[in-house]
């Protein structure tokens, strides 16, 4: 191996010192031989590598990584200047030059060869001692000299030497910051002098905080200040910064650590007073202490640290007092006084809170002091407006962005059961600048909400609301508090009324006070005060009237519980509707009670599933009218009789289905209608003393329940899809009101019941206005009412009237009102052709002559409208409900409506009225316009005429309805029946598959006893036709039930009423048909059971058992299938083969004379 190879190996392994020694030996040998130096070109590179190793660089080698000062100086001094300077570039590589030492441009272009990695490594590792050493080497190379006194070659590199000096200074401070765990960016320390000092000030603040926390507690203030002063001096910061930052740190909120020096308030205050504050001018003291106050109030951690807040406020208040003599301008004096007042209020609040909430209260239960005040203004020279800020006596809640100074006290007030703490906190009102009594009011608000949430009973208004209201200074606050509190007594109406009375009194007083101090401009406060009076008065009037309505239950203690419950629901529904209206009027309440009460009573009476009897109807009417009487007594402008007449007239003329007859529709028309029934009324007698209560009305409502069975009124517009029925007019067997006849009968029956409800106990219903009673005698009034009736002579009417008056005096406790109702209603029924509503109604439209009442447009049109047969029919229905049969007969005789009167005349008139209404509603022609003549014509012949002229018309409005009418005409001529026409109608209805019309047709045959008469006359074809109709009903019903297996749209319990009606029809047929239907129901039940519809199976099985129980022939019973017999045996056992199950009746529970009246349609 040659010498050069050996040196290469040593250099590659980092053995630079050995390699350099071998080169020295080789050079000595060469020089002794007077030869050239063989390795002279290798000395410089090996020396440079060795110099980097002595500087602690990353070059490979066997030397230590620590810095060797002497070797470095020797090696770099023996290198060429450019090469040696490249060595010094390790301190300032190009990537660090611009941010650390700002080298000149020619230095940035020098390639990093040897020292490139030394300084970056030290900075990256935060090895500030190495940075300091490297910088010192640079200084030594620039300022040092040889033993001969000659300066080192770098002495002329002035800029480089200055950079090394800066790096030495920064490295020392970096070392201090690192020791106290202050995070920093080294580049910030070498920024130009004109750059921002904020980052350096932030480092100084962190240095003070960390140094004060880590140094000895006995001298931490002095030591922290010493370090901070050194920092500020070195980097040219304001000399007051260290003291200011130290004060802010000491007076800030402490950490959770127990060792935090700020927890020792005594030591902190002493340090601030004796050491820090004297270092600052008075103005700087004020600024820094103000920052401390604001910072402490923003911190949520020490909101209940009253001692700390008190210390800071005392320091700041003392500083403000010293500054007061330096306020030279008026603006500064005002701002200073304002600031002093704000701090003084805070100080007083802290003292009060610390007195009340001592050490026995945990910090969580203490109110946060800082939430009692709004933050101090950012600019201390900002002057607030002189107008006093208005605070609400109530809690605004979190939904409104409004500062509430009392929100911080809610938790404390909620715990105050004895009001002792509330009394202790009451001085806060003056401290916070809010009106007196607001603390007590807020305590009441908090407690009421808490009690409502927990469901606890509220105290009486006298002991709570009234007592607190006395402590409030203004009427406005008293009104707001009592008005708000009234909403919590929704279950105690009398207590709620007391609150509203108090609120109304104070709201009125507050409104007067605002108006007296107003400047003539309609301000927002004035508008709100007026609106508040209006709204409170509205609620007060509504509640007061509602209590009057509820008092009817007290005045009628014998009312059944069922009626009481219905009555309360009526009141609630009317009350809710009134609350939704923009303005309350008591006449709307009266009208709402009458309208809603009549609706509830009518629908309950028509519902066969509701055990609402005639007694219940009467009791409910008494309650409603009694409540209306009391309201009329309170409001003299309300005339109950006139109100009832207005609504009655509308329903008689148009029916109650116009606008649905609901409360909402009633209130919409109330403004125009009110003028028709607002009039002074005479003093009322208690309802128990009124003769109307003792009048013997015959309100037998059973017949008003349509004979075709149960109807689910709520499903009027329901749609049944995929029922298997072809007809689109009647798509369902079970949808009760899909049939036009059923719907018409239901509407007319409901309207009649509602009108009867309005008329039965309405006070002064037949009384003229007082202004006209002197001009119109009773006899003249009766003449006016009956002016359009065809009668013998006026003289005869007067003679009968005199007889009537004599009889009334003898029996005034019995039927006076019923007789008046009969006279008026029958006058409508028997009015002659061409009569108008105005001429016939006489009494009901007498108000139109009075200019003081504005007539509604609808009433003007109604006034000139000719009487319809639908109106006559409804009037007759009402008369049949309200008046006994003998009263109707008596009026007909006395008024001359018939000269030849027999016992069946009323029934003939009833069917004639019904017939005329149906013909009129279908738009067909009547042979006569006189009801008496219509009632005596030959009905089967007219039925054939109708069918011949209109039977082939496929109009939707006539479908089914005309068939039923013609069928009834074939049955309703005494004892004669047009059997051919009857069967034709059955076949037509079956052909068109009209299930509901077919059901009504079969029920008509049962109720008119047509099946019995056909059997007596041996009309087998008629019986077969009716039996086929019943089978068709079952077929259509089966199709619909099968279609419902998957969809499950039908309500099984609601459909059972239709099945009961089918069973009644089957019960009237012979045994053979009964056996057929028993098998059919049983078979359908088994099929449904196999499909998983056990609900339908129960219904079908029950129906089959009911049919079988009525089969009395043992031979027919023995021919039943085993499945059917098994159903029967499961129900009654094998030993009871003749147990009959009664077929469910579909007639109403109220069924007396009106049932006979309805039945007259079928005879």
């Amino acid at each position: 191996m040659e010498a050069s190879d050996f040196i290469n190996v040593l250099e590659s392994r980092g053995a630079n010192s050995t390699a350099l020694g071998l080169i020295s030996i080789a050079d000595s040998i060469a020089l002794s031989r007077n030869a050239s130096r063989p390795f002279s070109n290798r000395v410089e590179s090996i020396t440079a590598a060795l110099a980097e190793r002595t500087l602690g660089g990353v070059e490979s080698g066997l030397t230590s990584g620590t810095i060797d000062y002497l070797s470095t100086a020797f090696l770099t001094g023996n290198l060429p200047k450019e090469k040696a300077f490249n060595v010094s570039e390790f301190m300032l590589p190009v990537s660090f030059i611009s941010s650390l030492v700002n080298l000149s441009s020619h230095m940035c272009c020098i390639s990093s060869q040897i020292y490139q990695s030394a300084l970056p490594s030290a900075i990256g590792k935060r090895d500030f001692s190495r940075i300091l050493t490297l910088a010192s080497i640079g200084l030594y190379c620039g300022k040092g000299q040889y033993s001969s006194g000659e300066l080192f070659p770098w002495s002329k590199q002035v800029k480089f030497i200055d950079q090394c000096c800066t790096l030495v200074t920064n490295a020392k401070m970096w070392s201090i910051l690192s020791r106290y765990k202050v995070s920093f960016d080294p580049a910030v320390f070498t920024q130009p002098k004109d750059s921002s000092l904020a980052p350096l000030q932030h480092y100084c603040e962190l240095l003070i905080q960390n140094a004060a926390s880590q140094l000895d507690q006995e001298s931490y203030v002095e030591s922290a200040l010493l370090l901070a002063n050194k920092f500020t001096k070195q980097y040219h910061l304001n000399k007051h910064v260290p003291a200011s930052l130290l004060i802010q740190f000491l007076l800030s909120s402490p950490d959770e650590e127990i060792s935090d020096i700020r927890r020792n308030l005594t030591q902190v205050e002493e340090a601030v007073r004796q050491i820090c504050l004297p270092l600052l001018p008075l103005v700087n003291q004020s600024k820094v202490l103000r920052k401390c106050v604001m910072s402490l109030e923003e911190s949520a951690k020490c909101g209940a640290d009253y001692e700390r807040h008190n210390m800071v406020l005392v320091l700041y208040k003392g500083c403000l007092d010293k500054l007061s003599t330096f306020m030279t301008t008026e603006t500064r004096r005002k701002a200073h006084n304002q600031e002093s007042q704000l701090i003084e209020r805070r100080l007083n609040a802290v003292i009060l809170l610390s007195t009340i909430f001592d050490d026995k209260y945990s910090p969580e239960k203490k109110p946060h002091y800082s939430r009692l005040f709004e933050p101090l203004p950012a600019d201390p020279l900002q002057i607030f407006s002189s107008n006093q800020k208005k605070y609400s006596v109530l809690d605004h809640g979190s939904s409104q962005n409004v500062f509430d100074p009392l929100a911080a006290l809610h938790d404390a007030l909620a715990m105050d059961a004895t009001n002792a703490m509330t009394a202790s906190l009451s001085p806060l009102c003056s401290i916070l600048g809010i009106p007196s009594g607001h603390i007590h009011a807020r305590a009441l608000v908090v407690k009421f909400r808490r009690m409502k949430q927990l469901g606890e009973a509220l105290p009486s208004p006298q002991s709570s609301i009234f007592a607190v209201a006395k402590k409030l200074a203004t009427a406005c606050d008293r009104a707001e508090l009592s008005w708000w509190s009234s909403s919590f007594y929704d279950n105690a109406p009398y207590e709620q009324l007391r609150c509203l009375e108090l609120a109304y009194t104070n709201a009125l007083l507050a409104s007067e006070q605002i108006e007296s101090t107003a400047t003539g401009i309609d301000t927002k406060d004035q508008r709100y005060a007026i609106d508040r009076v209006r709204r409170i008065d509205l609620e007060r009037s509504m509640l007061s009237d509602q209590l009057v309505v509820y008092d009817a239950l007290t005045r009628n203690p014998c009312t059944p519980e069922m009626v009481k419950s219905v009555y309360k629901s009526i009141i609630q529904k009317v009350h809710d509707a009134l609350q939704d209206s923009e303005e309350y009027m008591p006449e709307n309440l009266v009208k709402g009670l009458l309208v809603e009460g009549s609706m509830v009573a009518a629908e309950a009476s028509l519902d066969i599933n509701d055990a609402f009897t005639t007694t219940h109807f009467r009791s409910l009417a008494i309650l409603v009218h009694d409540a209306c009487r009391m309201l009329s007594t309170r409001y003299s402008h309300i005339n109950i009789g006139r109100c009832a007449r207005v609504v009655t007239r509308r329903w008689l003329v148009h029916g109650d289905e116009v606008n649905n007859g609901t409360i909402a529709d009633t209130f919409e028309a109330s403004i125009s209608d009110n003028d028709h029934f607002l009039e002074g009324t005479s003093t009322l007698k208690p309802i128990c003393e009124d003769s109307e209560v003792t009048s013997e009305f015959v309100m037998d409502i059973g017949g008003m329940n349509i004979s075709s069975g149960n109807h689910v009124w709520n499903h009027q517009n329901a749609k049944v899809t995929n029922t298997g029925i072809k007809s689109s007019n009647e798509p369902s067997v079970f949808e009760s009101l899909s049939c036009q006849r059923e719907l018409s009968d239901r509407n007319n029956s409901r309207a009649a019941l509602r009108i009867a409800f309005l008329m039965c106990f309405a006070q002064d219903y037949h009384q003229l206005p007082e202004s006209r009673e002197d001009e119109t005698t009773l006899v003249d009034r009766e003449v006016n009412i009956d002016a359009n009736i065809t009668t013998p002579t006026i003289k005869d009417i007067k003679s009968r009237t005199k007889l009537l008056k004599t009889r009334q005096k003898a029996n005034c406790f019995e039927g006076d009102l019923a007789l008046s109702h009969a006279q008026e209603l029958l006058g409508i029924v028997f009015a002659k052709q061409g009569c108008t509503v105005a001429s016939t109604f006489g009494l009901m439209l007498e108000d139109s002559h009075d200019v003081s009442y504005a007539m509604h447009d609808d009433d003007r049109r109604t006034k000139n409208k000719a009487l319809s047969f639908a109106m006559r029919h409804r009037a007759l229905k009402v008369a049949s409900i309200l008046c006994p049969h003998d009263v109707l007969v008596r009026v007909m005789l006395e008024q001359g409506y018939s000269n030849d009167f027999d016992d069946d005349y009323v029934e003939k008139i009833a069917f004639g009225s019904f017939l005329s209404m149906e013909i009129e509603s279908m738009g067909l022609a009547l042979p006569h316009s006189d009801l008496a003549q219509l009632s005596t014509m030959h009905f089967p012949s007219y039925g054939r005429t109708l069918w011949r002229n209109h039977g082939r018309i496929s109009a939707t409005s006539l479908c089914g309805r005309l068939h039923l009418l013609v069928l009834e005409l074939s049955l309703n001529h005494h004892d004669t029946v047009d059997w051919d026409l009857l069967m034709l109608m059955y076949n037509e209805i079956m052909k068109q598959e009209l299930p509901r019309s077919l059901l009504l047709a079969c029920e008509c045959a049962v109720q008119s006893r047509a099946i019995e008469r056909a059997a007596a006359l041996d009309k087998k074809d008629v019986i077969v036709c009716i039996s086929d109709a019943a089978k068709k009903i079952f077929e259509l019903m089966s199709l619909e039930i099968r279609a419902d297996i998957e969809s499950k749209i039908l309500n099984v319990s609601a459909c059972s009423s239709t099945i009961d009606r089918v069973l009644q029809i089957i019960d009237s047929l012979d045994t053979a048909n009964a056996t057929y239907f028993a098998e059919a129901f049983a078979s359908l039940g088994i099929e449904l059971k196999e499909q998983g519809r056990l609900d339908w199976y129960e219904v079908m099985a029950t129906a089959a058992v009911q049919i079988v129980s009525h089969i009395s022939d043992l031979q027919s019973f023995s021919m039943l299938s085993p499945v059917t017999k098994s159903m029967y045996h499961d129900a009654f056992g094998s030993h009871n083969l003749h147990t009959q199950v009664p077929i469910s009746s579909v007639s109403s529970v109220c069924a007396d004379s009106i049932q006979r009246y309805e039945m007259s349609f079928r005879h």
Side-chain angles (χ1 to χ4, degrees), residues 220 247 249-251 261-273 308 311 315:
Y220 70 91
I247 291 174
F249 168 70
L250 294 176
L251 299 183
I261 58 175
R262 291 169 291 183
R263 291 188 176 276
N264 190 340
L265 294 180
T266 304
Q267 189 175 359
V268 168
E269 184 177 5
E270 181 180 356
V272 172
R273 284 185 181 274
R308 187 174 303 277
M311 177 187 67
L315 290 172

Side-chain angles (χ1 to χ4, degrees), residues 209-246:
Q209 294 179 7
N210 295 353
S213 301
Q214 298 177 28
L215 293 174
D216 186 11
Q217 293 190 3
E218 295 183 358
S219 59
Y220 70 91
V221 176
E222 294 84 352
S223 301
L225 284 175
L226 182 61
L227 289 173
N229 286 329
K230 182 179 181 180
F231 186 92
T232 55
K233 184 177 180 181
Q234 181 172 324
Y235 296 105
H236 311 290
L237 300 179
N238 191 306
K239 64 179 181 179
H240 301 307
V241 168
S244 300
L245 294 178
L246 184 56

Side-chain angles (χ1 to χ4, degrees), residues 126 128-129 168-184 189 203 206-208 210-211 214-215 223-224 226-228 230-231 234-235:
R126 299 287 174 167
F128 301 112
S129 60
V168 169
T169 304
N170 288 340
K172 292 179 180 179
M173 187 54 63
W174 291 346
S175 180
I176 295 174
L177 294 177
S178 177
R179 185 190 311 164
Y180 291 104
K181 300 178 181 179
V182 176
S183 300
F184 62 92
F189 292 85
Y203 295 154
L206 295 177
L207 176 62
I208 290 176
N210 295 353
Q214 298 177 28
L215 293 174
S223 301
L226 182 61
L227 289 173
K230 182 179 181 180
F231 186 92
Q234 181 172 324
Y235 296 105

Side-chain angles (χ1 to χ4, degrees), residues 1131-1155:
F1132 301 106
S1134 57
H1135 58 284
N1136 290 327
L1137 299 182
H1138 299 288
T1139 303
Q1140 289 192 355
V1141 180
I1143 303 295
S1144 300
S1145 176
V1146 297
S1147 60
S1148 172
V1149 292
C1150 338
D1152 262 331
S1153 61
I1154 294 305
Q1155 180 68 26

Side-chain angles (χ1 to χ4, degrees), residues 256 428 473 699 849 1107:
E256 296 181 358
L428 275 177
M699 295 192 298
H849 302 292
I1107 297 173

